[in-house]
């Protein structure tokens, strides 16, 4: 499926990195790579290539970066970047985190909010792992859940004066032990839920109830107490979400929600047995209208799985229920059998309507950043949707539903992508030659907006219903918005 496009990155120097996050920039996406004992990198587009623009506190270089995510924490319309640092070891010691506030988006001037006097006693120091953004109140002002090995889960929110407060106890987010993975999900209540993947212990699922989180787990398949969770992703199966969970050295899971609200593990044998998983990425790399699952591994070959319908070809002994069948496919050079992958994201970094797969390495030693893509995918057609908050920042956690003449697809705008990483705040849909009919966007506050007769090969910026309009920035045509401020009954 993939060919290598690492030449899009202007340097091929080895980097020992971990997490990756993608946030909007002046002339395209910014790709932040957390450096482990070396400078962080902030890649920005320069012509047809990406160059490292990190300097000062953004580059740092004295700390050991792990998880990273972006979100608008201060409701100024511009995303901050949270970098979760650690040192080697799991004893709770480590380097202070960074909370990078973009002061001037046009010039990329940044400051570290943890360095403010008001936060002198708020520095987070732990053996860092993953970070996820949550709009728990549906206001467009995000907090960040921060997981650390052998440390309680933290949840930071920012006051108007820049003061950082850990709200985890107050809002009910309690996870002890080795929490490796955080995945923001719209799975239970519809808005702002959180999956916490735990190493050598039961996973947790928290339901957002008006800004307070209640434990909603207890299901054996989802809690998987004998598992060793690393990566996790939400994957669309014909309009319904499932959890893809990657374990370290144990069976991986494909968790579908049952009618009674519980979960059933529907992973076929080849998907279940994937080895030393780090990050799991769900994305439609070939634009065929169905997401693939990429399992990034350390010290062994990465693996790729594709979903086919009930009439498609599958390997012997594989397949699921409800017409959703998965089979292992050849990832080509993205297999990286000699790679030590730590982080991976899918994002259309070059703006051509095809997702790139960006892989960062570093668990053992530095390796160059890798970029892969499917060169045939553009011909299949695509639609991209960028919902924004009432403050005009990316609406991470929003859910986008696309109806075509071939069926239904669903995406969530990534607010925290499992293990260490977070992808671009865009719902990307491949069309597979089908015709789009309708787009429905649902924000974390429950409000909705609909676009009818959207064009193919176009990207739509959809404003929060409290604002005004829908616009498209690329290629053919314009969508039409109707029922601009719809609320579900009871909200």
């Amino acid at each position: 499926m993939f060919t290598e496009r690492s030449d899009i990155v202007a340097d091929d120097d080895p980097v020992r990195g971990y997490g990756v996050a993608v946030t909007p920039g002046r002339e395209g996406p910014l790709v932040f790579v957390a450096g482990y004992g070396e400078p962080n990198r902030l890649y920005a587009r320069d012509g047809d290539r990406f160059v490292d623009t990190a300097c000062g506190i953004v580059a740092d270089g004295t700390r050991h970066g792990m998880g990273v995510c972006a979100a608008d924490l201060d409701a100024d319309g511009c995303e901050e970047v949270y970098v979760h640092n650690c040192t080697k070891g799991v004893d709770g010691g480590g380097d202070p985190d960074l909370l990078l506030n973009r002061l001037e988006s046009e010039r990329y001037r940044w400051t570290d909010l943890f360095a403010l006097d008001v936060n002198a006693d708020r520095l987070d120091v732990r053996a860092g792992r993953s970070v996820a953004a949550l709009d728990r109140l549906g206001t467009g002002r995000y907090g960040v859940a921060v997981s650390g090995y052998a440390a309680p889960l933290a949840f930071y929110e920012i006051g108007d004066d820049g003061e950082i407060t850990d709200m985890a106890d107050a809002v009910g987010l309690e996870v002890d032990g080795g929490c490796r993975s955080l995945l923001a999900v719209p799975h239970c209540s519809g808005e702002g839920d959180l999956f916490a993947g735990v190493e050598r212990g039961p996973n947790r699922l928290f339901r957002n109830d008006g800004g307070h989180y209640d434990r909603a787990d207890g299901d054996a398949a989802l809690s998987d107490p004998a598992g060793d969770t690393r990566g996790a992703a939400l994957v669309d199966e014909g309009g319904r979400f499932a959890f893809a969970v990657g374990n370290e050295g144990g069976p991986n899971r494909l968790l579908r929600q049952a009618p009674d609200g519980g979960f059933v593990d529907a992973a076929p044998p080849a998907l279940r047995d994937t080895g030393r998983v780090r990050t799991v990425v769900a994305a439609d790399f070939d634009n065929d209208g169905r997401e693939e699952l990429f399992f990034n591994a350390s010290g062994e070959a990465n693996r790729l799985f594709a979903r086919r319908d009930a009439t498609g070809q599958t390997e012997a002994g594989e397949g699921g229920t409800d017409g959703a069948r998965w089979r292992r496919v050849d990832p080509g050079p993205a297999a990286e059998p000699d790679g030590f992958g730590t982080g991976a994201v899918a994002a259309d970094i070059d703006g051509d309507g095809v997702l790139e797969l960006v892989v960062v390495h570093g668990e053992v030693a530095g390796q160059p950043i890798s970029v892969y893509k499917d060169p045939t995918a553009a011909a299949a057609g695509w639609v991209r949707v960028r919902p924004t908050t009432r403050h005009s920042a990316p609406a991470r956690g929003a859910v986008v539903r696309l109806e075509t003449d071939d069926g239904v697809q669903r995406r969530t705008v990534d607010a925290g992508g499992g293990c260490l990483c977070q992808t671009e705040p865009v719902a990307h849909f491949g069309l597979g030659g089908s015709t789009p009919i309708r787009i429905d966007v649902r924000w974390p506050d429950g409000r909705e907006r609909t676009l009818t007769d959207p064009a193919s090969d176009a990207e739509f910026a959809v404003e929060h219903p409290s604002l005004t309009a829908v616009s498209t920035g690329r290629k053919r045509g314009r969508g039409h918005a109707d029922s601009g401020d719809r609320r579900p009954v009871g909200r």
Side-chain angles (χ1 to χ4, degrees), residues 441-488:
V441 182
R442 178 184 174 101
W443 278 261
D445 63 0
R447 291 187 180 183
E448 299 179 352
R449 187 183 287 278
T450 295
L451 288 71
T452 57
D453 300 321
S456 302
D457 298 342
E459 183 172 290
F460 298 88
V462 187
E463 292 185 332
H464 188 271
S466 63
L467 302 176
T468 54
V470 178
S471 67
T472 180
R474 290 209 230 133
K475 293 195 177 180
R476 299 158 27 192
R478 180 181 297 272
H480 306 286
D482 57 36
S483 300
D485 187 359
R486 295 192 289 127
R487 285 180 177 269

Side-chain angles (χ1 to χ4, degrees), residues 382-444:
W382 51 273
V383 167
R384 287 166 59 81
V385 183
R386 289 181 177 267
T388 55
T389 68
R390 64 190 68 197
H391 311 294
S392 301
R396 295 189 183 268
V399 176
V400 184
R401 177 185 182 274
L402 172 68
E403 180 182 349
T404 74
D405 61 356
D406 192 42
V408 173
Q409 301 182 53
R410 196 182 301 267
R411 304 284 187 269
T412 183
V413 179
D414 189 22
C419 186
L420 308 180
C421 300
Q422 181 196 52
T423 193
E424 61 179 343
V426 181
H428 177 96
F429 299 92
L431 294 177
S434 65
T435 300
I437 297 173
R438 171 186 172 118
I439 296 171
D440 295 301
V441 182
R442 178 184 174 101
W443 278 261

Side-chain angles (χ1 to χ4, degrees), residues 94-429:
D95 300 326
D97 289 354
L98 292 172
L99 181 46
L100 299 171
N101 183 26
R102 200 181 322 185
L103 297 177
E104 296 180 16
S105 60
E106 294 302 308
R107 298 182 182 178
Y108 301 148
R109 292 182 61 240
W110 305 78
T111 186
D112 176 20
L113 293 183
F114 274 117
L116 297 178
D117 289 343
V118 70
N119 295 319
D121 61 345
R122 307 297 173 87
L123 290 174
D124 183 52
V125 180
R126 63 183 68 203
R129 292 299 182 264
S130 296
V131 190
L134 299 173
D135 182 6
R136 67 181 180 90
L137 296 173
T139 62
R141 187 168 189 148
Y142 291 80
V144 288
V146 181
S147 72
Y149 196 87
L153 188 69
F155 182 70
Y156 293 112
E157 293 184 342
I158 299 178
D160 291 338
D161 61 352
E163 183 179 11
I164 300 169
T165 303
D166 184 359
M167 300 289 292
D169 289 342
V171 303
L173 288 174
E174 182 180 353
V175 179
D176 294 320
C179 183
R180 292 274 190 166
S181 179
L182 293 173
L183 182 65
V185 296
H187 211 84
C188 290
S189 65
E191 295 86 39
D193 300 337
L194 180 69
F195 171 80
V198 178
E199 180 180 22
R200 294 191 294 273
N203 300 323
R204 301 280 189 251
L205 182 61
F206 294 92
R207 183 195 300 269
N208 182 10
D209 183 8
H212 188 274
Y213 289 86
D214 299 322
R215 286 261 298 270
D217 50 33
D219 180 274
L222 184 137
S223 61
D224 194 14
D228 198 354
T229 300
R230 292 297 195 273
L234 272 184
V235 60
D236 173 55
E237 292 189 313
R240 298 185 64 183
F241 287 131
F243 283 108
V245 179
N247 283 319
E248 164 77 10
N252 301 310
R253 310 296 183 188
L254 181 66
L255 303 173
R256 296 178 181 153
Q257 195 158 22
D260 63 0
F263 293 86
V264 175
D265 182 12
L271 192 151
R272 188 175 289 121
D273 182 21
T274 55
R276 300 185 63 196
V277 175
R278 291 298 177 262
T279 303
V280 180
V281 178
D284 188 355
F285 292 108
D286 57 5
N287 280 345
D288 70 346
R290 295 179 289 262
E291 287 190 304
E292 288 77 51
L293 279 171
F294 177 78
F295 286 76
N296 184 26
S298 179
E300 60 186 44
N302 302 322
R303 300 192 183 189
L304 184 68
F305 296 87
R307 185 175 66 87
R308 297 294 181 258
D309 60 27
T311 61
Q313 297 298 314
T314 63
E315 295 179 4
E318 294 188 9
T321 60
D322 300 328
R325 298 174 179 269
W326 292 89
R327 63 184 178 94
R328 187 174 173 183
V329 297
D330 182 6
E336 296 189 342
D338 299 320
F340 291 92
T342 49
V345 295
D348 181 13
I349 60 176
D350 61 2
D352 65 352
V354 178
L355 294 175
E356 279 79 28
L357 171 65
V358 181
V359 182
V360 175
H361 317 84
E363 188 139 323
V364 174
Q367 293 178 313
I369 294 171
S370 302
V371 181
Y372 304 97
K373 74 185 305 179
D374 184 337
T376 68
W382 51 273
V383 167
R384 287 166 59 81
V385 183
R386 289 181 177 267
T388 55
T389 68
R390 64 190 68 197
H391 311 294
S392 301
R396 295 189 183 268
V399 176
V400 184
R401 177 185 182 274
L402 172 68
E403 180 182 349
T404 74
D405 61 356
D406 192 42
V408 173
Q409 301 182 53
R410 196 182 301 267
R411 304 284 187 269
T412 183
V413 179
D414 189 22
C419 186
L420 308 180
C421 300
Q422 181 196 52
T423 193
E424 61 179 343
V426 181
H428 177 96
F429 299 92

Side-chain angles (χ1 to χ4, degrees), residues 45-100:
R45 183 177 295 167
D46 183 6
D48 59 355
R49 305 186 80 189
F50 277 74
V51 299
D52 180 16
T53 64
C55 60
I57 192 60
V58 175
D60 194 25
T62 66
R63 313 185 205 200
H64 298 75
M66 295 288 289
V68 58
C69 85
D72 184 9
L73 276 68
D74 56 6
D76 67 349
C78 189
E79 292 197 315
E80 285 71 50
V81 176
Y82 194 105
V83 186
H84 196 14
N85 292 305
C86 79
T87 58
K88 251 185 173 179
V90 296
D91 58 359
D95 300 326
D97 289 354
L98 292 172
L99 181 46
L100 299 171

